[in-house]
Each structure stands twice: as structure tokens, then as C-alpha cells.
Amino acid sequence: MKVGKRKTDTFALIQEEAGIHVGISASLPLAGRHAAQIMQEQYTRWLEKGRFNAWGQYKRDYFTVAVGGGNTVKAQYRALLEVHTFSVDWLTRVRFFFLEESAGDPAWESAEQSLIMNFIVPLTRKLCKRRGRRNIARTLGLPNAADENDIIDAAVFRLVNPINMAPVSQALDSGNRRKALQQARLEAQRYGDDIRSKLGESMSFHCIVSGIGKEGTLGAFSPYVKELSLLQPDALILKEDSGALRIALNRGVLTNAERVSLIVAGTHKLKALGRFEMEEAADFEQTVMETPLRMLRVNRDIAEKVYIFADEQALNFDETVFEYSERGQAVQIKAETRPGDEDNGVHILLLHGFMGLFSFANLLIRLPSAWTVSALHRGSRAKFLENDEIFPHYALALRKAILSNWRRGRPVPIAGHSIAGVISDHLLLSVLNSYDAEIPAYEDLGKENKQLIDALRASGIIHLATWSPCDGPNTGANVKSLVDHLRRNTELDYGGLDRTYDLDRSGRLSPTYTEELAESASNMAALDKFLKRRISRPLINGMTVGLRSLLNNQTVQQRMLNSEMPYVLRLVGGRLLKTASLYGLAKEVNAALHDPVEYQNRHLKALDVLLAYDIPFLAIVHEDDFLVSARRHSEEHRYLVKARMAREGVSREADLQIPARLVILKREQNELAADPLNPHLLVMSTSPEGNSMARQITAAMTRFVNENVSRAIKAKSIKHLPSISLWQRKQKRPKRRKVA
């Protein structure tokens, strides 16, 4: 039987590289609808075909669902009622079980009561209203005269396989804990035996529906519960610190389910989700104890059965603030921060591109859980500064953030995307007396400058598709390629110019296309002139208000979420709508491009600062980046490596003590997409290919930082870190040989 019409174009699922499926919606109700739709589709496949291959008569007759409690699960109940009341034969074909039930905890919200009150009662009333009370009564084996209460009671009796905690509660209320434990053991045995008799020894449900706690709590299992080590499917007893007793289905039941559907909402859950997705240096079972959700990725077969449905708010992190003084004025810099597991461990600082118009969610999620990860915002002060002051202001804020961590003994790697490369340049040049000054010896630096160099030496600098002024002419060449492709159907090529640099007589880099570089300033002259007019700010701010109004529309948000557009999560996230300023964006673009010859000279000098002070460097760029030249990054890499090898007296890049690395990301599809932004922003996008790229990026970043910190620990620049020791041990393990 197939009732109703399925909606196949409402939501989108992305499968992460670990196997997990993720769907992002603009709100919790929409996340609930997505989860409900996927469950209904699974039910339909089971009904039409799958049940004939099921183990045992019970699983052939009934679609079995084990549910947990919590508000997120209620969102799926509401969605099932709104959309799928009549597309699933609930009374005849579906049976519910429970992941856990508790006695002795007055604050406990029973999963059974939640299911009954939030789903079965309104479901029964809707069925009676649509199909008639007498018809529903006959379906349940009741006489025609049965009233609504009789019908609801019969529906509950038919649909629900309860965990009976009443005898346990009575014993606890009377103060007889010994009897309560005895009753709990009897009920756990009965419940487990009942499930085994219906589903077999594997206790494998068609579907498990649950929420996720902020620490990765799954079902009854919070971190460090010793029963997490029990793998044989069963029902067991958990003794709570409060004195309450809980009966719960264990880890073996959760991992054996045919599907695990998890609904996530709120701002504190993504650390747990990231722990699920990322590879860890620690022992796997240890990570399960720390984050029980990890049990679902013990292997890919299990991970592929996991479906996570998140509201957009779940992709936001807490905001942290640090303050400093600049020219006598107090300045606040905010950051999205994911706390790390290791006290005084690595604290990596991420710098967004232009005004942060994309999401660092992939890095906030996937970088090692031992690390603290902060994505810095720009602040609002730069909007009121002159062109020459904006990037030094950003660099000063970054310097203060680095030093505040380093003085507490924390390694502080930095990673910037796109225009953040200019901020990185100004940070390095800030140790000079002026931009034209000679680079002083380390011993001649002042105390604070030495501290900054020490911090950068210990952890390194990472450039993620960073921009320099020479990329302006290169982008112009790509624009011509795209226009020719669209007009004449020529082959698309985002390779840009044939080269970026020549070597001068001293062996230093110099721009090849100097005239084109100088002319690129003229392209910004009109913008610069406009921004100096009084009308510019109110006019652009009016456009900002209009954009926010459009993006606040829920329909627009959901369409964007499902379109796999780059930086889409940033656009639908409340933070951009509340804080991003098109006027600030225009000021930043103008500041970066207003004097390309001078800024390019500063960029090349920053490379020499890297060399002079032995600062580790990693560059990552996509081979088809439209806005940033992968060829330029390669030429700079060769320059750095050659200089480093000469400095260290080695003949191979692999022998360098201080790394200068380059990672070129390759596209997975054969043909280059016409979308000019995607290659540049793919490193942070949420498309399937973007997730694969994010894996490569985080793996390269993790290795790079851990190697640098390991070297700093050995040199006694920083204290021992357990996470680094674990990582080192993992590197020494022999690789498993594949058996044919």
C-alpha cells in the first residue's frame, strides 16, 4: 500500500566521507520534517519490498522503531503528524520501542509518555476525524460504541512495547533500594528477551530515532559510562549518581540498527558532530568513552546507516570576545570558538576572507578535538579607517590574539583564507620599523616582537587559497576565459596567466606583468571615489537592510541550504544577517586593491620574513581557483623551498627541518564547472566535493601543526602536550598491509 505523494525535492542530504548522511535545514521544524520524510521513505521501501527479506515474522509484519526522548524528537513527531499521518499505516504496520526509561528521577521526561502525548494521541484523533471513529475502532478490534478514550488506549496498547518501571519506582519510593534493583534486573531481562523474541539475537530495529546531547550523549549513554564497553546487544541497568535507576538498550543495539536517525538543534552540538566525523589520534574506544556518539563510526558500514538532521542554528558556535587597546581606545574582537578538550593545548586562530562571507564550519568541526578553534571576526572599527590603516588594524588584532595565548604557554597556529593573506603579510611586517626597512636579526628584535616570532615558529602559518595583488591580473585572464566560453563555447580554463613572477638578479621574485598589476588600481578608482562621498554609507547600508530582509525569508533560506552553494551556511546563519555590512565589505575590498604595486611588494617581503625567522609555512589552494592563482602559489613555494634548502644546507625538500609546504587540491569531476566562485570557496563549502576537500585540508593542517608543535616541545619552547604524544605514537604505528 502506498498512500500520498512523496516530496523528493524539498530537502537535500550530503554524505560525509566517513559515511554519515547529513541534512541541514533552516529551522528545527524543518529538520524534523526532513527526518520524517526520510523515515517515511524507509517505511515505504520496507513495505513494498524489504519486509519480504526480513528476519522473523515480526519484522516482516511490523516496521519497528526505537525512540528516545527530548524536544528534538518531538519535532519529528510533529512533522510525522503534519505530513505523514495518512502515508504510513501506523496502526497496522508500525510498532514502537524505547531506548531507555528511568525510575527515581523526578525531572525525567519519559520517552514513552512523550511518544503517547506528542504523537499517538494526536495521531489517533486525526485518524478518527478523517476515517471515522467507528472505522478506527474496528481496526483496533473495538466495538462501534467505543469512545475516543477507548480508542486511544487501544492504539497505545497496540503500538507501544513499554519498559515497565512502576515496580522499580514503588520500591524506590518506599526506600527499598535492594528490591528496586531486583525489580530493575527482572524488567531489563524481560524487555531484552521480548525484543530478542521479536527481532532476533541482533535486536536490530528498522529505525532508531534519538537526539544528541552537547557532549555527544546518545540514548542513555553520557561520557565515561563504563557500560559503553558492552557490545553484545541487550537491555541493561544504569545506576545514576542521583540514585535513580535506568533501563536502557545498549551500544550493541544502537550499532545494529538498520538506520539511526538523529535530530540536532541548538548551538552546543557541533563539537560532538565533529568528533563523529574526524579521525582521531587517540585510541578509538577512548574516544567513544569521551563522546559516545563515536560508537556509530566504529566502521564505515555502521556510519553509513547514520542520518543526522540539523537545524541551521546547530551550525553556529559560541561567541568569545578578547579586548585590547589601540591608540588609547578599547577594541573588542569577537570570534566563533569551539573549545578544545586539552587545557592549554593548541589554540588555532582562523581568519575569514572578505568580511567572513563564507563558513569556517568545516574547520571548526573537523580539526582535532584536543584543539581550541577560533574563527576571528573583523570588528566594526575598520569601516571608519583610511585605506592604509585597515589591514594594519586587522594585523594588530591578530597579533594581540596570538600573544594573549602564547604568554599562557599555548601554541597558536594561524590559518587565513583569501584576503586574510594580506592580514598575514601585515602581521609579519609588523616586526619591522617600516615597510621599507631591512629585516633585523632575531636577536635585535624587541621583547614583544620576539614573542610573536617565537609563537609563529612554534606553530606555523597556514594560507588557504590566500590572495595577493598579482591575482588581480590573473583573475582578469580567467574572466576572459569564462566570457569566451559562454559566448563561443571555447574550452574553459581557470589557469590564468602563464606565469606570475620572474627572478631578478639577486634571485628574488618580481612580478612578470608589472603594467597589468599597476593598471589594476584604475579599476578601483571609481569605488574609492564613491566611498569618499557622504552618500555612500547610507546608500550601501540601505542595500544591506534589503539583503537581510530577503535572506530572513525562510523559503529563500531553505532553497539556499539545498542548493550546495558555497558559503551558504554563512548566509543563512543569523550572524551574517545581524553583523555583516556591505559598506564594510566595500571598504575592505577597496583597501586591498587601492595600491596593488605597493601591497605586492609587501607580500614578497613577507615571504622573506618567513625565511629570515624560520617560520613554518603551509599553503593550500584549489587547482581551478578563479580568484587566486594556483600557479602563483606554486612559484612562491618553489622560491621558499629553494631558499630554505640553501639556508639549511640540504638537497631535498623532504629533508627540511622547517617546512615550506604546498597542497594543490584537485577537482573530482572531469569537466570544470562554469561557477567562478566555487573553486575559490570550495575549501569551505558544504557540497559533497567540498566535504572531501575539507578532509584533505584538515589532514594537512593537523599534520603540519602537530609536527611544528612536536619540534617546539622537543626544543622546550612549550610544555609537553598529551595530544601531541598520542599523535606521535600513531605516526610510528606500522601501516596495515592490504590482503588480496
Side-chain angles (χ1 to χ4, degrees), residues 2 20 147 189 195 214 223 243 281 287 297 318 324 329 378 386 392 406 418 512-513 522 533 539 582 621 704:
K2 186 175 182 180
I20 178 178
D147 63 16
Q189 183 67 49
I195 295 174
K214 64 181 180 180
T287 69
R297 70 155 298 166
D318 285 340
Y324 67 96
Q329 291 185 331
R378 300 280 205 267
E386 296 298 324
W406 179 249
S418 190
T512 299
Y513 296 95
S522 63
R533 299 180 61 185
L539 182 62
L582 292 181
V621 65
F704 174 76

Side-chain angles (χ1 to χ4, degrees), residues 562-670:
N562 293 325
S563 66
E564 295 184 356
M565 289 173 61
Y567 64 84
V568 62
L569 297 180
R570 190 64 180 171
L571 288 175
V572 298
R575 205 155 287 169
L576 173 65
L577 300 179
K578 294 175 183 176
T579 63
S581 163
L582 292 181
Y583 180 74
L585 172 60
K587 287 277 289 186
E588 189 169 284
V589 171
N590 188 51
L593 302 178
H594 81 287
D595 193 352
V597 173
E598 173 62 22
Y599 271 51
Q600 181 61 35
N601 288 334
R602 293 180 191 179
H603 174 67
L604 293 176
K605 192 159 190 175
L607 296 181
D608 290 333
V609 174
L610 284 173
L611 292 170
Y613 297 127
D614 293 331
I615 298 171
F617 182 71
L618 168 65
I620 304 175
V621 65
H622 194 281
E623 64 177 346
D624 298 315
D625 199 307
F626 186 87
L627 299 177
V628 168
S629 170
R631 186 173 287 116
R632 174 181 66 81
H633 279 75
S634 295
E635 292 176 31
E636 291 177 359
H637 171 70
R638 288 195 294 271
Y639 172 74
L640 289 173
V641 168
K642 183 178 179 180
R644 281 263 163 90
M645 289 193 301
R647 186 178 177 88
E648 294 187 17
V650 299
S651 58
R652 298 190 312 156
E653 180 181 348
D655 295 331
L656 287 174
Q657 291 296 310
I658 308 300
R661 295 210 181 103
L662 173 66
V663 175
I664 303 289
L665 301 173
K666 306 293 184 181
R667 67 175 181 268
E668 294 182 355
Q669 70 279 11
N670 292 326

Side-chain angles (χ1 to χ4, degrees), residues 454-590:
D454 289 343
L456 297 176
R457 279 176 170 174
S459 308
I461 295 177
I462 301 166
H463 279 193
L464 303 171
T466 50
W467 181 91
S468 87
C470 271
D471 289 317
N474 189 81
T475 301
N478 287 335
V479 169
K480 292 179 182 177
S481 174
L482 178 59
V483 171
D484 286 344
H485 171 74
L486 296 175
R487 288 180 176 176
R488 304 180 182 88
N489 200 30
T490 57
E491 183 177 354
L492 193 59
D493 177 18
Y494 289 164
L497 300 172
D498 57 340
R499 69 185 189 278
T500 304
Y501 297 115
D502 295 317
L503 291 177
D504 62 20
R505 292 180 179 179
S506 63
R508 297 188 71 254
L509 297 175
S510 63
T512 299
Y513 296 95
T514 54
E515 292 183 4
E516 288 82 354
L517 179 63
E519 287 176 1
S520 63
S522 63
N523 298 329
M524 304 304 298
L527 176 61
D528 185 62
K529 185 177 180 180
F530 171 71
L531 290 175
K532 290 177 180 177
R533 299 180 61 185
R534 290 185 179 181
I535 190 63
S536 64
R537 190 175 176 194
L539 182 62
I540 296 177
N541 286 343
M543 295 170 60
T544 302
V545 172
L547 176 64
R548 290 177 182 173
S549 176
L550 174 66
L551 296 179
N552 267 320
N553 182 280
Q554 193 175 78
T555 301
V556 173
Q557 291 178 3
Q558 189 59 51
R559 286 178 180 174
M560 294 174 73
L561 280 167
N562 293 325
S563 66
E564 295 184 356
M565 289 173 61
Y567 64 84
V568 62
L569 297 180
R570 190 64 180 171
L571 288 175
V572 298
R575 205 155 287 169
L576 173 65
L577 300 179
K578 294 175 183 176
T579 63
S581 163
L582 292 181
Y583 180 74
L585 172 60
K587 287 277 289 186
E588 189 169 284
V589 171
N590 188 51

